[in-house]
Amino acid sequence: MIVARDLRKRFGEHEVLRGVSLTVGKGEVVAVIGPSGSGKSTLLRCLNHLEAIDRGEVVIAGETLAATDQSGHCRYAPEAESRRICRRMGMVFQHFNLFPHLTVLHNLIEAPMTVKGLTRDAIVPVAEELLRKVGLFEKRDSYPSRLSGGQKQRVAIARALAMAPDIMLFDEPTSALDPELTGEVLRSMRQLAEEHMTMLVVTHEMAFARDVSTRVVFMDGGEVVEAGDPAALFGNPAHPRTRAFLQRLRAG
C-alpha cells in the first residue's frame, strides 16, 4: 500500500531524511519509533504530500505520487491526480486540528461533503456510526472546546475515517495527552488494527509498537537504522543505535 524509496528531504542545510526506504503492505500496522528529530514526522508528511521530497519515489496503492527522473529532478503527479492519490490516506496529527467553530458531527461531515461531494443525508449516518465506534456518539452536538484531549483525538480519528481512506497515518497521536487519556485513544487504534486497517504509526508508545504492530521501524538521524518483527527488535535489537535508544527508554 505504501512504497517509499530513497526519500531525501532537507530544510536549508539540515538533511532531515537521508535516503529513507520502507514499505507497508495491505493490513499491516507499521510502527515508527526513534528519538526526537530523527525525521519520523517529516517522513509521514512527505508520504501524503504535506511536504515535498527532494529526491526519491513515493508509490501509494500502486500509483506513483512522486518519482525522481534520470536528470535528478523529483516530479509529482499532476495536481488533481496527486490530490486523488493522497485522499487514499487519512492523517491524525499530534494536536487534533479540529475545527473549533464546528460541532463534533460537523467536523466529521465537512470534508466528505466539500471534497467528495457527498450529500448530508448520505454522510451523517456514516459519521454517527464512526462516533459510536470511538465511543463518542453522545458528543455529536458538542464543540471541541467541551471535549477532553483524549476525546478530541478520538474525534480526529473518526474524522479521518469519514473520508473512507485505505491507509491511516498517525503522527504521535498520544504525545499531547495526559497519561490517563492515552489509553482511550490507543484502544481506538487497536480496534482499527484488529479490523486490518493499513496503518503507519509514528509513536513513542512502546507497548503499542511491541504489542499491536506487525513491524517496527527504528529511525535515527534521518535514516532507517533497523526494521523487523516487534518481538525481535525489542527483545534482541541488531543495531547498537537501536539498543542504546531502548536502553535509554528503560532507564528513563
Side-chain angles (χ1 to χ4, degrees), residues 129-188:
E129 188 55 39
L130 287 170
L131 288 174
R132 286 189 184 94
K133 182 175 188 168
V134 298
L136 289 173
F137 179 76
E138 75 284 358
K139 299 290 187 181
R140 66 194 293 279
D141 297 319
S142 299
Y143 286 89
S145 61
R146 309 294 296 175
L147 305 180
S148 71
Q151 289 170 333
K152 289 176 186 175
Q153 195 59 295
R154 283 186 284 155
V155 171
I157 291 171
R159 181 176 68 174
L161 291 171
M163 289 293 283
D166 299 311
I167 302 160
M168 286 286 283
L169 308 177
F170 292 87
D171 186 10
E172 299 204 15
T174 60
S175 64
L177 302 178
D178 294 333
E180 65 268 23
L181 300 177
T182 294
E184 61 192 50
V185 174
L186 292 177
R187 273 193 297 277
S188 293

Side-chain angles (χ1 to χ4, degrees), residues 31-87:
V32 183
I33 64 171
S36 297
S38 57
K40 306 183 301 294
S41 294
T42 300
L43 170 62
L44 285 196
R45 294 175 66 85
C46 286
L47 291 176
N48 70 357
H49 202 8
L50 289 175
E51 300 284 356
I53 59 173
D54 299 324
R55 289 182 69 94
E57 183 178 17
V58 177
V59 181
I60 304 299
E63 297 189 277
T64 299
L65 176 64
T68 302
D69 62 22
Q70 290 180 330
S71 67
H73 289 95
C74 185
R75 302 191 186 280
Y76 277 82
E79 187 175 345
E81 195 176 328
S82 290
R83 283 201 303 269
R84 180 182 58 75
I85 293 170
C86 288
R87 278 205 297 270

Side-chain angles (χ1 to χ4, degrees), residues 175-246:
S175 64
L177 302 178
D178 294 333
E180 65 268 23
L181 300 177
T182 294
E184 61 192 50
V185 174
L186 292 177
R187 273 193 297 277
S188 293
M189 294 171 65
R190 283 175 186 266
Q191 184 180 349
L192 285 179
E194 289 164 4
E195 294 167 1
H196 306 294
M197 170 61 80
T198 304
M199 298 162 64
L200 183 59
V201 184
V202 169
T203 185
H204 64 278
E205 296 290 339
M206 295 302 131
F208 178 89
R210 186 181 61 242
D211 300 338
V212 180
S213 66
T214 50
R215 196 151 40 89
V216 179
V217 174
F218 171 65
M219 286 184 66
D220 190 19
E223 301 172 320
V224 172
V225 175
E226 186 171 349
D229 174 77
L233 190 139
F234 282 102
N236 186 26
H239 200 285
R241 282 154 76 183
T242 315
R243 284 199 296 275
F245 172 75
L246 293 173

